[in-house]
Amino acid sequence: MPYFGFKGGIHPKYNKSATQSKNTENLPVEVGEVVHIPLAQHIGAPAKILVKKNQQVKTGELIGEAAGFISTTIHSSVTGKVVSVGTVEHPIGGRVPGVSIEVEELTEDYVPIDSGDSFQKTVLAAGLAGMGCATFPSHVKLSPPKDVDALLINGAECEPYLTCDHRMMVERTEDIVKGAVIIKEKLGLKILAIGIEKNKPDAIEAFRKFEKEYGFEVIELEVKYPQGGEKQLIKACLNRVVPEGKLPMEVGAIVHNVGTCACIYDAVELKKPLYERMVTVTGAVKEPKNLMVKIGTPISKLIEYCGGFVGEPKKIVMGGPMMGLAVTSLDTPVMKGTSGILVYSESDLPDLTQYNCMRCGRCIDACPMELIPSAMDRFVVKELYESLADWHVMNCIECGCCSYVCPSRRTLVGGFKTSKRQVARILKEREDNKND
Amino acid sequence: MTDKLLVTFSPHDRDTMTTNKVMMLVVLALLPSILSSVYFYGHYAIKGYLLTVIFCVALEYGFDKISGRKTQIKDNSALLTGILLAMNMPAGAPWWIMLIGAFIAITVSKSAYGGLGQNPFNPALVARVFLLIAWPAEMTAWIKPQTVMNGLTFDAVSTATPLGAMKTDLLAKGHVVMENIAPMTDKLIGSVSGCMGGDSALLVLLGGAFLLQQRIITWHIPVSFIGTVFVLTGLYWLVYPDQTINPLMHIISGGVMLGAFFMATDYVTSPMVKRAQLIFGIGCGLITVVIRLFGSYPEGVAFAILIINAFVPILDNYMRPKSFGEEAK
Ligand code: SF4
Ligand code: SF4
């Protein structure tokens, strides 16, 4: 397939060299350490708690079950004792319901999942949620109510600094391919392709070796953010445009991240639930690394393992610099969607002095959704939610390109995120009025 | 130590370009033209630039202070307006004209609307047009360019601009007298009389190329503006060759080059949407030509841009491109 490309997008500084050629290391846990596992690590309803205080749990044991269709399961990442069932730190929610477990025994074994009778049930039982950052429950994406014909594997890793997907593509190439082939066969799909940005030649080469044997295609992607955005990837690889407000399956496509494919392989072939993941730890730390981390490990442990901070940390981001969340506490645990821990010291932070919008139009050129961020920003400031709805703010994917390029440092995407709830209400009212 | 962690919205990295840098790059692009006007007008030019810049920056600072707003002078836009204002005046204009010009540009047409980004009309042009109407004599007292060779201080000799000469001859004799109009080469290098800046079409073009290369502006406005002037004057010239100068002379005379690259492209007062920018440029060109050919003023660039400025909000609203995946209504 040719590369079709997409409009807009930006070329930020990638800063990936600190970790992109280092092998992943295992972050060891010690007896007595406590992991904090939130029950809401995915989009949708938080999982329903299944354990009680002082209960013994084993690695991989189910501790939370899906509460509804758009939800998923949660497993213990260690073997030990539940020390509290209450709340744990969360990067957005302040504190959220969660389970704290004290490690009592070190083991590589895990409780295999009870896979059920269908592929989707296996995926649900393993607790898979998107490993990029959207963390949409995977079994939902794998139960398309419509006909789909194409599976795209997202190996773009377009967020600067992050290299965990890159390392996984090099270190677990065949597992990713096998996971993808499982999806393709289970859903009876015709097209299977993996898109990788050209700045990862070693990963591209690794996949090329398996291309013939497994019958898929490697698509070399232009290095441009947000190349890994679902809608952008589908446009770039398949030249299909997902309609506003619709899911990729509308145009017959499913997109899964490379990490999710590896987890699907683990779940189906090894009966292993999702209780650990790869995390890039980089920025102002002594030795930036990619680590395999048990879900629930506080980020302070990761930073400690990487030699500690360089200088005074000023901001710590969970995820990448474009879409990641700034955390308030070092106790915040690693979750299923945590792809990176990025530490900024004072001097790494950009100057955020705000000026008036001078209508330069840079944000418009950068927006991959072809929106007019500068105009929407005026509506946000004046709280004109009706106008925001008319200018399609709901189509914004919150990629942050507009804010990144704005020379006047307008908050743009921040305002769009916070306004969406109001706008959604207005759109719903309009819909209701139409149906009356 | 970590209870002081900074929390902001994403993205956490930003592009290195900032608004004050954008303005400085435009000033840099104007530098060749500034230097050439100093070369041709000596102390008149130096005095002109200094006074307008000082007046503009001081007035902006003053307004922000009085209205209790955080001062905006750091964005460098008042500096740029000052330079453009000087460029839109005859060399040797008296200081009080410059002060009034700065007041109209900064206080009336910009600060009063809320400062950078809020004003509908190009500040320097509003000032120019206001002065032209209120003090026509002072604003058309063109002096003959000298060169620095004659020393920085020289006495002004008044003269007419090429477009002015054309208009006079048309009214008096009914046709253009080519001998009375400076040759094309003079206009390219700038040794003709006219506003202080933009005398040399070549140097303005050089600055414009720099802006394009730095991606401060895109080709849409300058090309559609200059192209329209060229095509329309060309058609007229083909039909009535003795009634006007050739289209090439049209685009390098007067304010077309400076207007198309530096005034019409002013972010604040031009459309943000590319398609709308094309319409905007064509509109500027059209009105310029109509005034030049049929109006009583010899030059129409400033009027043209101001008139089209008024349509910018409408253009931006109605030409909003469909967003990705937006369904046709
Ligand atoms: S990039 Fe910033 S200054 Fe430029 S138009 Fe957009 S919001 Fe305004
Ligand atoms: S955050 Fe939204 S508005 Fe801004 S560039 Fe991305 S999609 Fe466009």
Side-chain angles (χ1 to χ4, degrees):
Chain A
M1 277 182 282
Y3 174 80
F4 295 99
F6 67 96
K7 274 199 194 153
I10 55 169
H11 301 275
K13 296 171 288 289
Y14 283 93
N15 294 325
K16 291 185 188 248
S17 57
T19 51
Q20 68 186 2
S21 45
K22 287 191 197 162
N23 273 327
T24 312
E25 294 176 37
N26 254 316
L27 178 68
V29 282
E30 284 151 36
V31 171
E33 217 174 273
V34 179
V35 296
H36 307 280
I37 306 177
L39 290 167
Q41 301 183 29
H42 46 264
I43 290 174
K48 219 169 77 205
I49 186 83
L50 294 177
V51 291
K52 287 195 191 68
K53 193 170 170 183
N54 294 328
Q55 185 177 332
Q56 295 296 130
V57 289
K58 291 208 169 67
T59 306
E61 192 174 324
L62 194 65
I63 56 173
E65 65 178 5
F69 183 55
I70 303 190
S71 178
T72 193
T73 55
I74 306 274
H75 304 79
S76 174
S77 57
V78 294
T79 298
K81 188 172 80 183
V82 175
V83 288
S84 90
V85 175
T87 60
V88 299
E89 286 288 338
H90 189 278
I92 6 181
R95 291 187 75 86
V96 295
V99 180
S100 300
I101 303 167
E102 187 182 317
V103 182
E104 291 184 331
E105 191 194 325
L106 302 180
T107 167
E108 282 302 306
D109 297 334
Y110 52 85
V111 182
I113 53 173
D114 174 13
S115 36
D117 46 11
S118 77
F119 169 56
Q120 282 79 4
K121 282 196 184 132
T122 310
V123 173
L124 171 62
L128 298 198
M131 306 284 283
C133 66
T135 57
F136 198 72
S138 302
H139 66 279
V140 181
K141 267 182 155 182
L142 292 169
S143 320
K146 290 196 179 241
D147 272 351
V148 292
D149 66 337
L151 171 63
L152 292 180
I153 305 304
N154 186 355
E157 199 166 53
C158 55
E159 270 272 9
Y161 288 96
L162 304 185
T163 59
C164 58
D165 282 358
H166 183 175
R167 288 315 304 170
M168 182 178 283
M169 286 192 280
V170 174
E171 293 169 25
R172 296 193 63 190
T173 320
E174 196 166 5
D175 294 349
I176 296 169
V177 173
K178 282 181 179 161
V181 169
I182 292 171
I183 306 176
K184 183 186 171 203
E185 281 169 2
K186 296 287 181 191
L187 298 184
L189 305 174
K190 287 199 260 325
I191 302 171
L192 172 59
I194 172 160
I196 307 173
E197 277 193 353
K198 282 189 189 136
N199 61 0
K200 304 180 233 318
D202 48 346
I204 292 173
E205 204 185 312
F207 278 96
R208 289 241 186 261
K209 292 203 187 101
F210 295 101
E211 235 176 347
K212 284 238 167 53
E213 185 185 340
Y214 289 94
F216 66 96
E217 199 182 334
V218 176
I219 301 179
E220 295 186 25
L221 306 170
E222 182 190 353
V223 181
K224 179 164 96 169
Y225 178 87
Q227 180 69 75
E230 263 189 353
K231 293 183 175 186
Q232 280 63 41
L233 195 69
I234 294 170
K235 170 67 183 60
C237 295
L238 300 168
N239 205 20
R240 298 181 192 172
V241 174
V242 181
E244 182 180 2
K246 296 281 165 40
L247 294 172
M249 61 183 75
E250 193 73 20
V251 292
I254 304 182
V255 179
H256 278 288
N257 172 274
V258 285
T260 311
C261 290
C263 287
I264 284 187
Y265 167 81
D266 290 345
V268 173
E269 298 294 328
L270 310 176
K271 307 239 169 289
K272 182 181 166 190
L274 171 54
Y275 62 79
E276 56 183 1
R277 70 154 295 149
M278 277 167 75
V279 181
T280 304
V281 185
T282 189
V285 291
K286 294 230 169 67
E287 286 173 67
K289 283 180 182 115
N290 274 303
L291 300 177
M292 183 59 97
V293 184
K294 305 266 186 277
I295 304 287
T297 310
I299 58 176
S300 55
K301 289 273 173 228
L302 281 66
I303 291 163
E304 201 178 290
Y305 188 77
C306 291
F309 296 114
V310 175
E312 177 121 340
K314 196 72 197 161
K315 190 190 224 182
I316 299 179
V317 172
M318 203 171 218
M322 294 302 298
M323 293 185 75
L325 299 164
V327 300
T328 46
S329 160
L330 285 173
D331 297 333
T332 312
V334 165
M335 299 189 294
K336 291 178 184 177
T338 307
S339 45
I341 301 297
L342 176 53
V343 180
Y344 286 94
S345 65
E346 179 88 58
S347 58
D348 305 329
L349 287 172
D351 174 12
L352 290 180
T353 314
Q354 276 202 350
Y355 299 99
N356 287 358
C357 164
M358 58 169 166
R359 299 173 37 92
C360 68
R362 282 177 172 74
C363 51
I364 301 175
D365 296 338
C367 179
M369 298 308 286
E370 295 162 70
L371 295 163
I372 314 285
S374 49
M376 300 197 305
D377 187 44
R378 287 190 178 209
F379 300 143
V380 170
V381 173
K382 295 190 188 139
E383 302 186 12
L384 295 173
Y385 298 113
E386 292 278 347
S387 305
L388 269 173
D390 295 336
W391 286 64
H392 297 262
V393 72
M394 296 308 279
N395 210 3
C396 165
I397 57 170
E398 302 175 12
C399 64
C401 291
C402 48
S403 296
Y404 180 86
V405 297
C406 179
S408 286
R409 305 285 189 252
R410 310 296 307 163
T411 320
L412 304 174
V413 62
F416 308 152
K417 276 188 203 171
T418 44
S419 304
K420 277 186 174 178
R421 186 190 296 252
Q422 302 275 3
V423 176
R425 212 198 60 229
I426 288 172
L427 288 177
K428 194 170 170 302
E429 277 170 19
R430 285 188 192 173
E431 200 58 34
D432 293 347
N433 288 344
K434 234 192 281 170
N435 298 340
D436 277 350
Chain B
M1 110 191 144
T2 49
D3 43 40
K4 287 197 301 269
L5 284 178
L6 184 68
V7 176
T8 65
F9 283 116
S10 58
H12 307 286
D13 274 353
R14 299 301 173 100
D15 191 30
T16 49
M17 187 59 85
T18 54
T19 296
N20 53 343
K21 275 192 211 161
V22 171
M23 298 293 169
M24 280 321 275
L25 284 172
V26 182
V27 171
L28 204 61
L30 284 169
L31 205 59
S33 301
I34 296 176
L35 291 177
S36 88
S37 46
V38 170
Y39 178 83
F40 288 119
Y41 297 113
H43 72 288
Y44 292 109
I46 298 176
K47 196 179 95 190
Y49 286 120
L50 276 180
L51 285 182
T52 50
V53 166
I54 292 171
F55 289 152
C56 284
V57 174
L59 282 168
E60 175 154 280
Y61 183 78
F63 189 96
D64 288 344
K65 264 268 128 66
I66 291 166
S67 63
R69 179 160 77 198
K70 213 175 105 226
T71 177
Q72 301 184 357
I73 55 170
K74 286 208 201 85
D75 63 28
N76 290 334
S77 63
L79 166 71
L80 180 59
T81 304
I83 292 173
L84 287 171
L85 179 63
M87 291 195 151
N88 274 286
M89 291 206 197
W95 68 268
W96 54 270
I97 283 262
M98 295 183 182
L99 179 59
I100 295 169
F103 177 76
I104 298 288
I106 295 295
T107 312
V108 176
S109 356
K110 190 176 150 204
S111 294
Y113 284 100
L116 178 67
Q118 314 291 319
N119 49 299
F121 299 104
N122 186 311
L125 290 181
V126 175
R128 173 189 155 87
V129 167
F130 175 83
L131 294 174
L132 197 61
I133 294 168
W135 285 278
E138 282 80 0
M139 283 300 286
T140 52
W142 310 111
I143 60 175
K144 208 176 165 70
Q146 314 280 315
T147 61
V148 174
M149 311 315 163
N150 305 352
L152 271 176
T153 51
F154 57 85
D155 288 326
V157 181
S158 61
T159 178
T161 64
L163 289 172
M166 177 177 95
K167 204 90 225 180
T168 318
D169 288 340
L170 272 176
L171 291 175
K173 308 200 178 73
H175 60 87
V176 175
V177 184
M178 284 313 280
E179 294 77 60
N180 290 346
I181 294 169
M184 219 162 359
T185 45
D186 284 8
K187 287 192 199 125
L188 283 174
I189 56 172
S191 58
V192 294
S193 64
C195 288
M196 210 151 58
D199 256 2
S200 162
L202 223 50
L203 291 181
V204 175
L205 216 52
L206 183 74
F210 175 74
L211 291 185
L212 286 169
Q213 186 262 335
Q214 293 287 314
R215 296 172 187 234
I216 302 289
I217 60 170
T218 56
W219 60 270
H220 301 78
I221 292 175
V223 168
S224 57
F225 189 163
I226 298 170
T228 306
V229 172
F230 185 83
V231 170
L232 294 180
T233 55
L235 288 174
Y236 190 79
W237 177 70
L238 284 176
V239 182
Y240 308 106
D242 67 340
Q243 294 292 307
T244 193
I245 46 179
N246 72 46
L248 214 56
M249 290 183 84
H250 261 293
I251 61 170
I252 61 173
S253 302
V256 172
M257 284 291 168
L258 188 71
F261 281 102
F262 289 93
M263 315 295 294
T265 53
D266 169 33
Y267 290 145
V268 176
T269 54
S270 65
M272 294 185 287
V273 176
K274 294 281 174 289
R275 286 188 298 167
Q277 289 181 353
L278 289 177
I279 308 262
F280 175 88
I282 293 171
C284 289
L286 180 73
I287 298 179
T288 301
V289 173
V290 168
I291 295 176
R292 275 192 184 181
L293 296 181
F294 311 110
S296 54
Y297 280 97
E299 175 57 310
V301 170
F303 292 107
I305 296 175
L306 287 176
I307 291 170
I308 306 295
N309 279 166
F311 293 95
V312 167
I314 300 181
L315 285 174
D316 264 344
N317 268 323
Y318 288 95
M319 302 197 78
R320 180 182 71 82
K322 284 232 165 344
S323 76
F324 185 90
E326 181 179 334
E327 276 167 65
K329 284 238 168 73

